[in-house]
Amino acid sequence: DTKQRLVLLDVREERELTGELGHLPGIKHIPVGSISERVSELDEHRDEHIIAICKMGGRATTAAKILCAAGFKVTVLTGGMNEWNELGLPVKRHL
C-alpha cells in the first residue's frame, strides 16, 4: 500500500479550536509556541506527511520550518482555517 497517511496538526491556541473557525476532525493539537519542546510527540508520524494548520498560514509556516528542520515532511494548509471556512468545508466547533 503506497498510500500515505496524512496527519493534521493544528498549531493554533486551544481557545481557537472551539471558536468561530472551528477545527478539522481528527487533528493533533500542539500550539506553535510549544512546538519546539513537543516535537517528540510527533515521532510516531515521522514516516507520514504532516499538514500544518492555523488561522491564515503564518503560524503553520513557522511550525513547518521547525518540523522540517527536525526531519519531518510538512506542508502548510494554504489559506488556513479562514479559507477552509470560506470554501464551506466541514469543521468541528467542540473538542
Side-chain angles (χ1 to χ4, degrees), residues 21-63:
L21 294 177
H23 63 277
L24 303 181
I27 58 163
K28 285 193 80 73
H29 176 243
I30 303 176
V32 69
S34 59
I35 201 112
S36 294
E37 304 85 60
R38 295 176 62 186
V39 166
S40 64
E41 292 178 33
L42 296 169
D43 279 346
E44 67 185 288
H45 303 294
R46 282 208 177 266
D47 297 328
E48 298 165 332
H49 197 101
I50 297 172
I51 308 295
I53 304 164
C54 68
K55 183 176 179 182
M56 297 185 323
R59 288 174 283 177
T61 299
T62 300

